[in-house]
Amino acid sequence: MTRALLALGKRVRIIDTGRTSLSENPPPGVTLFPVDIRETDKVAELAAGADLAFHIAANANGTLSVTEPRLDFEINALGTFSFAEAMLAAGVRRVVYVSSASTYGTPRRFPMDEEHPNRPFVPYGASKLGGEVSCLALHHARGLPVVVGRPFCVYGPGENPREAMVEVGRFLRWHLNGAPIQIVGDIDRKTRDFVYVTDLVAGLLTLADRGRLGEVYNIGSGTETSMRRLVDVIGAATGREPAVEVIPEIEDDTYRLVADITKIRTLGYRPEVSLHDGVQAVAQALGPAPEPPGAPTIFALGQHAER
Ligand SMILES: NC(=O)c1ccc[n+]([C@@H]2O[C@H](COP(=O)([O-])OP(=O)(O)OC[C@H]3O[C@@H](n4cnc5c(N)ncnc54)[C@H](O)[C@@H]3O)[C@@H](O)[C@H]2O)c1
């Protein structure tokens, strides 16, 4: 996101309590502030005079959201409300809130458009939805100039292996180390909508440029990919047959998931990176022996288990 904004000639201020890939050596035009989004006054001060704000900060770790739901709600729901208040105080001209497809819960139709019911089943999805409704209420009641994006399953280079949950990076990390790829649930029935990080950035820039204020937009590839297809693509992209270990007994997250991206397409958004090219780019960035995935493989509702 930062690189794309710099390429557009913007100056960028990053508010992040953690370390980012730019922490060590921020490029010219980028300033980092180790400020918590819940510190409304400080955030408002830093945002004063800004044309545009992307609200990306979150606890994005689904595991932590199950073990520490209060932290999750404090950062994602209340933190987003505080951030939105700060944007109003600072008079920022446009805000893009990065929500999540997890706000939908278990899909009831395929593909899923923005009118699909919101019934999140993990605290993470509920807290992201809390952030959305705060932003939209402040839009209607106080004129917050906000657009909401709901990304699906984002992947790309630079993920933190200890936290990232999306299958592409996790599967590649096992495969590149010569270990079997662990698949939870049904290898054919379980599907996801994988969207490459530069396509996500393009989607967010589209919303910043011409998304309708007070509206919600899916951001995905619009392509449904089964776990089997992902394994096949990994084999083709790396030139090596993957070994697979299927864990069929836990089916909690065996459902189809694919975005209907008609709405954002009407703004001119077009995802450009194929799964094959994206997987190849991540494999190259990871090198031959990346750190294996650290987050638990198994997500079982009501009895979160590590393995
Ligand atoms: N990764 C995905 O597939 C995906 C899908 C849908 C939505 N999203 C959303 O995209 C955003 C980024 O996700 P990610 O996967 O890159 O996560 P990430 O953990 O890599 O990035 C989140 C950043 O927020 C910062 N942060 C956390 N709490 C903060 C606070 N209180 N104040 C300031 N900074 C804080 C962290 O230090 C971190 O750098 C999140 O809002 C997430 O909900 C991600």
Side-chain angles (χ1 to χ4, degrees):
M1 188 81 244
T2 304
R3 276 189 283 274
L5 289 170
L6 289 175
L8 292 170
K10 309 281 185 196
R11 281 181 297 123
V12 180
R13 292 184 153 193
I14 299 177
I15 294 172
D16 196 312
T17 45
R19 295 175 57 75
T20 79
S21 54
L22 301 172
S23 296
E24 295 302 324
N25 199 8
V30 177
T31 325
L32 287 112
F33 299 90
V35 168
D36 194 299
I37 51 165
R38 293 166 288 181
E39 296 179 79
T40 311
D41 293 345
K42 278 193 193 166
V43 174
E45 206 177 297
L46 290 171
D51 291 329
L52 181 59
F54 293 92
H55 173 26
I56 304 174
N59 166 44
N61 181 325
T63 306
L64 200 59
S65 110
V66 173
T67 56
E68 288 190 53
R70 171 172 286 278
L71 175 78
D72 199 60
F73 276 90
E74 282 175 354
I75 296 174
N76 299 355
L78 189 55
T80 295
F81 173 77
S82 304
F83 184 88
E85 260 191 323
M87 297 301 102
L88 277 173
V92 174
R93 284 212 274 279
R94 182 169 276 242
V95 179
V96 178
Y97 170 50
V98 180
S99 181
S100 166
S102 66
T103 53
Y104 291 119
T106 308
R108 295 163 189 218
R109 54 176 189 258
F110 321 95
M112 260 170 155
D113 63 17
E114 291 82 354
E115 300 307 313
H116 185 283
N118 292 114
R119 300 275 189 278
F121 59 84
V122 282
Y124 170 68
S127 66
K128 293 295 289 186
L129 186 59
E132 266 192 30
V133 294
S134 297
C135 285
L136 296 176
L138 288 179
H139 167 71
H140 293 296
R142 298 282 303 278
L144 179 73
V146 70
V147 189
V148 176
R150 285 187 187 145
F152 278 63
C153 306
V154 184
Y155 74 101
E159 287 177 349
N160 176 348
R162 272 147 284 179
E163 309 237 320
M165 305 293 285
V166 172
E167 285 83 357
V168 177
R170 295 168 62 77
F171 285 14
L172 266 170
R173 284 175 184 275
W174 279 310
H175 176 63
L176 292 168
N177 279 298
I181 292 172
Q182 295 179 30
I183 301 174
V184 179
D186 188 298
I187 188 167
D188 293 303
R189 281 196 298 125
K190 181 170 166 180
T191 69
R192 295 294 182 264
D193 184 312
F194 297 116
V195 56
Y196 193 67
V197 63
T198 52
D199 282 333
L200 170 68
V201 169
L204 294 175
L205 290 174
T206 301
L207 297 189
D209 188 48
R210 50 197 180 277
R212 283 191 54 175
L213 297 181
E215 291 285 330
V216 175
Y217 295 84
N218 285 340
I219 310 177
S221 65
T223 302
E224 185 174 15
T225 301
S226 70
M227 297 301 106
R228 189 183 298 280
R229 161 114 182 100
L230 175 57
V231 168
D232 289 347
V233 170
I234 286 174
T238 59
R240 184 148 45 93
E241 183 76 16
V244 167
E245 181 196 342
V246 180
I247 304 161
E249 62 270 22
I250 294 188
E251 288 235 312
D252 299 63
D253 70 346
T254 292
Y255 46 75
R256 295 173 62 193
L257 182 66
V258 58
D260 182 332
I261 55 170
T262 306
K263 189 170 173 182
I264 193 168
R265 274 184 176 278
T266 63
L267 302 176
Y269 167 76
R270 300 283 179 272
E272 287 182 347
V273 181
S274 69
L275 186 62
H276 180 277
D277 291 353
V279 164
Q280 207 160 47
V282 178
Q284 263 163 26
L286 288 174
E291 183 179 333
T297 299
I298 290 178
F299 176 73
L301 290 177
Q303 44 150 11
H304 190 76
E306 298 206 11
R307 188 177 159 119

